[in-house]
Amino acid sequence: MSNHDKLKELLIDTFLLDESEYSLELLRENVDTWDSLGIVSMAVGVNETFGYHFTPEEATGVQSVADIIRILEANGISFDE
Amino acid sequence: MSRPAVWTGAELDRAVALAPHAVFWCLPRFAPTVRTRFGERLVDTLEDVPADATLLVVVGGGERIDRAKLWRRDARPALTLVAVPTLWGSGAEASKVVALNVDGKKAIAVDEALLPDARLIWPELASELPDWRAREACGDAWSHALEGFLSPLATHALRDELSSILRTMTTLPIANDPEWFEPSARACAAQARAGVGLVHGIAHVLEGRLAAHASERPFGHARLTSLFLRPVMALNRELSPKFDELMEEHDVDGARVLAACDELFDAAAYDEVLPVLEAAWMDVLRDPCSRTNSALVRPAHLSFFTERRFA
């Protein structure tokens, strides 16, 4: 499974989204479950899936799927697939 | 001084003697014991607490203590509140959290103003506890300590504090033992600073749904947390090495912790509630406690429970 697919599956499960709701352009402001608890779940899930620990600043600062990818790529996790 | 203060029996005697007007609100079955020690100072309801009362002593389980905490905050904030638990497990006597049942669902209020001013252990009150209730109380206490310790929101210092409590708990029997009161209270106060996890998420959702369920005895909060400790800890360990890593890092004997979870498990009760868990699974995932579980809980993880992969 590609990292894009892993991230898609992770965020659908974390925020309890329909598959049709997910896109790379998805914004936190448009997801009800991407609240403070969702940030915790997302950080836990990213760690389990990619082995990367978000700092609290990173986790709370993320505003979109693109932001997650940017942080992971900056830490050596490639999404060029 | 940190609240609640931990009083001895002698301190309560003195406070009651010195208070201009002290009253007790207690579970009816403890009324004779309270009356023998403190005389005729009981009220039947919180609304009966006289306007000039200065000290309220609540004697009961978590639900009664929570009701007193909420009432004091909202109606009589100047009143001194002393909580005397008749059972360990909920830790309500030491916590700024109140769990409310609203329309069959669990709602949580967290407020420093909910903390009692003092708490007290009166071990004799638990002397006639039925075995099953004592066991469930142990499970409730275990669930607070364990889920608080594993919470992704727990700091290293908080885990140090909870690891000490966990070590104490591993020395206690899953049975009626008044030594449970203190670690239970400390566990509840500590977990309130981090949060709990899926065990509580399941319990909160299923409590309401099982309220009308005919069973040998009710599926209340303590019974459900006791029941799901083993399956949830097994799921956490399957999903993440965090359980084992944290146990080792904080010098807690993980094998003894898991043995306690095993001892609390009841296969017949599990079979009874499993259909309800299946029907409620998506609500469990949405519960705030489930969302701060130590491992990410996903829709597909229901099969872990239905296929009994923890067995």
Side-chain angles (χ1 to χ4, degrees):
Chain A
M1 187 187 277
S2 71
N3 281 341
H4 272 296
D5 288 341
K6 286 182 188 173
L7 183 63
K8 176 181 176 180
E9 189 176 278
L10 168 63
L11 296 182
I12 285 174
D13 284 354
T14 302
F15 300 129
L16 304 175
L17 303 171
D18 285 333
E19 192 165 348
S20 61
E21 292 177 277
Y22 180 84
S23 75
L24 291 177
E25 291 73 42
L26 186 66
L27 299 174
R28 176 176 160 187
E29 65 188 32
N30 296 329
V31 181
D32 291 344
T33 46
W34 198 337
D35 52 12
S36 58
L37 296 178
I39 290 169
V40 176
S41 308
M42 185 263 293
V44 168
V46 163
N47 181 239
E48 287 173 11
T49 307
F50 298 104
Y52 178 71
H53 283 280
F54 275 130
T55 65
E57 293 74 22
E58 284 173 336
T60 53
V62 163
Q63 297 299 323
S64 64
V65 175
D67 283 351
I68 299 173
I69 293 173
R70 182 179 49 73
I71 292 169
L72 293 177
E73 285 191 319
N75 287 280
I77 298 160
S78 173
F79 282 77
D80 289 333
E81 297 151 336
Chain B
M1 181 189 292
S2 66
R3 285 172 59 205
V6 182
W7 280 5
T8 62
E11 283 172 306
L12 179 64
D13 291 342
R14 191 163 54 247
V16 171
L18 294 175
H21 193 165
V23 292
F24 285 72
W25 183 52
C26 73
L27 284 172
R29 67 176 176 277
F30 299 108
T33 309
V34 171
R35 197 175 280 120
T36 299
R37 181 163 169 179
F38 293 102
E40 197 54 69
R41 296 173 182 269
L42 284 97
V43 292
D44 292 332
T45 70
L46 289 168
E47 287 65 38
D48 294 335
V49 174
D52 61 348
T54 53
L55 173 67
L56 172 65
V57 184
V58 56
V59 181
E63 184 183 346
R64 180 164 289 241
I65 292 174
D66 277 357
R67 284 170 62 193
K69 286 157 61 177
L70 203 59
W71 177 82
R72 192 276 294 263
R73 183 194 69 174
D74 296 341
R76 301 284 293 278
L79 195 63
T80 297
L81 177 64
V82 179
V84 184
T86 52
L87 179 64
W88 59 91
S90 80
E93 71 276 17
S95 166
K96 61 184 175 183
V97 179
V98 163
L100 309 159
N101 287 308
V102 180
D103 300 329
K105 293 184 178 174
K106 208 81 173 180
I108 305 290
V110 184
D111 187 346
E112 292 288 331
L114 290 167
L115 275 170
D117 297 289
R119 65 180 174 89
L120 174 76
I121 297 171
W122 188 346
E124 294 79 12
L125 296 178
S127 61
E128 293 181 14
L129 212 55
D131 288 346
W132 61 268
R133 191 175 282 281
R135 286 175 55 83
E136 291 173 6
C138 297
D140 201 7
W142 266 112
S143 70
H144 288 138
L146 207 41
E147 292 213 297
F149 175 76
L150 296 171
S151 168
L153 298 170
T155 62
H156 188 84
L158 184 64
R159 288 201 177 109
D160 266 348
E161 186 179 334
L162 280 161
S163 67
S164 152
I165 297 166
L166 286 168
R167 282 191 292 276
T168 301
M169 287 184 175
T170 59
T171 68
L172 297 175
I174 306 291
N176 191 344
D177 185 332
E179 292 297 317
W180 274 101
F181 275 110
E182 188 58 26
S184 163
R186 289 172 54 212
C188 193
Q191 66 80 19
R193 306 201 313 265
V196 279
L198 180 59
V199 172
H200 279 82
I202 291 172
H204 290 165
V205 172
L206 265 54
E207 277 171 62
R209 294 184 183 226
L210 288 163
H213 179 78
S215 181
E216 175 194 3
R217 57 179 197 273
F219 279 103
H221 181 82
R223 189 177 186 192
L224 288 164
T225 52
S226 301
L227 184 57
F228 280 95
L229 266 170
R230 173 179 169 179
V232 169
M233 290 307 131
L235 175 66
N236 287 342
R237 293 182 74 222
E238 179 170 289
L239 297 176
S240 161
K242 192 172 165 186
F243 179 100
D244 297 287
E245 288 172 358
L246 289 174
M247 290 290 162
E248 187 174 348
E249 183 183 343
H250 290 270
D251 197 23
V252 179
D253 186 339
R256 292 181 74 171
V257 171
L258 292 171
C261 297
D262 286 350
E263 194 177 340
L264 287 159
F265 186 69
D266 175 342
Y270 185 82
D271 291 343
E272 207 175 328
V273 302
L274 189 57
V276 184
L277 177 69
E278 284 186 78
W281 183 242
M282 292 309 290
D283 286 339
V284 169
L285 294 183
R286 290 187 193 95
D287 184 271
C289 297
S290 305
R291 298 171 73 204
T292 56
N293 191 54
S294 67
L296 178 66
V297 191
R298 302 183 187 229
H301 292 151
L302 176 61
S303 63
F304 185 88
F305 296 93
T306 57
E307 294 167 8
R308 295 169 176 75
R309 298 216 297 269
F310 52 86

